[in-house]
Amino acid sequence: MITETKVVPANDTAEPMLQHRHLLGLSTYSREEIELILETARQFREVLYRPIRQVPTLRGVTIVNLFFEPSTRTRISFELAEKRLSASPINFSSSGSSVSKGETLKDTAQNVEAMQIDMVVIRHPSPGAPHFLTQCVDAVVINAGDGAHEHPTQGLLDLLTISDRFESFQGLNISIIGDIKHSRVARSNIHGLTKLGANVTLCGPKTLLPVELDKFLPDSTIRITSSLNEALEGSDVAMALRIQMERQGKNLVPSLREYHEQFGIKVQHLEQHKDLVIMHPGPVNRGVELASDVVDHERAVILNQVTNGVAVRMAVLFLLSGAAKGEG
Ligand code: CP
């Protein structure tokens, strides 16, 4: 596995490229690599507003989107990014496939690869599934969310959205509120934000906060609190996370109504904190993590996050495509 993470030119004349062959998570990506992806995404974002929203950059590159879990934003966004770059996307859902007949992930992936593909985008309920895939196929692998582990392109699109509103991450105060324990979005954001110099506060009920966080990020100065008011005090951005009923298995919050009372962001919080920007990765449970009028508030940038998702995924696909073509 590649552990060194500096950005290197492919040769004397080429553009800078990523040191990694795959995108499995932000934990191993360097600050420079993350900044390169964000800068590349800013350039690709311009394509989305052209009359003809397509460039020939990945013509001839075949990408399979393997989705073993439901998705709206990530799936559509990856497919759109691939089409905007003129790649050839193939979509796969576990439901309706031979997975429902008992085929393993390894066999599924190797059979798909036997049809000559270059890149695989995978969402899977098991943490580590994308990493496992790198050992089964030669294609470049991009993690589109693996269990409660990481969701790196979500973390990157969140970083891009924050950078649209603030000049620098250095010293910026970001609160991540909700189900931290089960959240791959929180993990990718923690890695990305701390690498870029932001201060992170994690807030949620004690049952939804990870135990032994100090072992997860031994050198971090991450603040943890179960008080929403304490988390929001001095925050520039509040990132609310979805309460994941499907992943919790048991009742870790007394009721959704009580959760909203204690941890839901309401208009009164926006009135108290005049510059606070609201983010949410989606899908939102209106009236749970965010009051419905907060979702629609002008300081909520939830739909900007979605737009930035396409640009970030174009950047990731482009920057990793050199490895898919055997360059670099
Ligand atoms: N944010 C996110 O991953 O949404 P989807 O589950 O709809 O892809």
Side-chain angles (χ1 to χ4, degrees):
M1 188 191 298
I2 295 167
T3 51
E4 196 177 344
T5 54
K6 66 180 184 296
V7 176
V8 293
N11 54 47
D12 288 347
T13 55
E15 296 291 316
M17 59 178 284
L18 299 173
Q19 180 74 358
H20 289 80
R21 178 171 160 75
H22 309 284
L23 176 58
L24 305 180
L26 295 188
S27 65
T28 58
Y29 269 52
S30 67
R31 176 189 181 123
E32 290 77 13
E33 285 178 296
I34 292 170
E35 285 173 343
L36 172 63
I37 295 169
L38 298 183
E39 187 46 40
T40 308
R42 287 184 197 103
Q43 292 169 29
F44 276 127
R45 186 164 54 186
E46 175 264 327
V47 173
L48 305 180
Y49 297 98
R50 288 184 191 172
I52 297 174
R53 296 186 287 267
Q54 197 167 37
V55 288
T57 315
L58 294 192
R59 188 174 289 156
V61 176
T62 305
I63 304 170
V64 176
N65 302 310
L66 288 180
F67 277 70
F68 293 83
E69 246 190 11
S71 167
T72 299
R73 279 144 290 270
T74 312
R75 184 180 181 138
I76 293 175
S77 178
F78 263 112
E79 190 178 348
L80 258 182
E82 290 153 9
K83 288 183 171 168
R84 300 288 184 239
L85 293 170
S86 303
S88 304
I90 309 291
N91 294 315
F92 167 97
S93 295
S94 51
S95 60
S97 76
S98 291
V99 169
S100 55
K101 299 178 197 164
E103 190 165 56
T104 63
L105 172 60
K106 179 178 177 177
D107 285 335
T108 301
Q110 286 183 335
N111 276 274
V112 170
E113 192 180 46
M115 299 180 218
Q116 303 304 315
I117 53 132
D118 302 296
M119 304 175 92
V120 179
V121 174
I122 177 169
R123 168 167 289 194
H124 200 281
S126 300
H131 183 264
F132 172 71
L133 210 57
T134 63
Q135 295 161 3
C136 309
V137 298
D138 289 331
V140 166
V141 177
I142 298 174
N143 181 2
D146 61 332
H149 174 226
E150 278 223 42
H151 192 349
T153 55
Q154 179 70 44
L156 289 164
L157 73 89
D158 291 337
L159 294 175
L160 181 61
T161 308
I162 293 169
S163 77
D164 288 339
R165 275 153 190 83
F166 299 92
E167 273 180 22
S168 166
F169 283 92
Q170 204 63 45
L172 212 57
N173 296 312
I174 315 286
S175 290
I176 306 179
I177 298 150
D179 184 357
I180 312 290
K181 191 175 185 174
H182 301 93
S183 176
R184 54 197 177 204
V185 176
R187 274 169 186 70
S188 289
N189 266 291
I190 291 167
H191 289 302
L193 287 164
T194 52
K195 282 177 188 191
L196 295 186
N199 306 315
V200 176
T201 298
L202 304 177
C203 174
K206 285 196 168 55
T207 48
L208 296 181
L209 291 172
V211 287
E212 300 185 322
L213 191 76
D214 52 331
K215 288 188 185 152
F216 170 55
L217 279 177
D219 300 327
S220 79
T221 52
I222 293 174
R223 216 162 54 108
I224 305 181
T225 176
S226 285
S227 157
L228 180 61
N229 285 334
E230 202 176 297
L232 294 184
E233 194 58 47
S235 279
D236 300 294
V237 175
M239 190 182 291
L241 299 175
R242 185 172 69 89
I243 290 293
Q244 302 182 43
M245 296 306 173
E246 76 280 16
R247 241 186 274 283
Q248 285 180 24
K250 46 187 168 299
N251 292 333
L252 296 173
V253 292
S255 73
L256 295 182
R257 189 183 55 77
E258 275 185 59
Y259 179 84
H260 183 66
E261 279 302 309
Q262 276 193 50
F263 297 99
I265 300 177
K266 306 162 197 75
V267 168
Q268 76 199 49
H269 295 117
L270 294 179
E271 286 164 358
Q272 280 163 15
H273 305 281
K274 294 288 181 202
D275 297 319
L276 185 67
V277 172
I278 303 294
M279 299 177 69
H280 192 300
V284 179
N285 296 310
R286 281 181 185 254
V288 181
E289 305 96 41
L290 300 175
S292 191
D293 41 10
V294 170
V295 179
D296 301 322
H297 197 278
E298 61 184 8
R299 274 191 270 142
V301 294
I302 298 166
L303 296 179
N304 305 71
Q305 291 172 258
V306 176
T307 306
N308 280 338
V310 180
V312 153
R313 287 166 182 132
M314 288 171 81
V316 167
L317 291 163
F318 166 68
L319 290 166
L320 292 175
S321 65
K325 293 181 210 153
E327 296 167 3

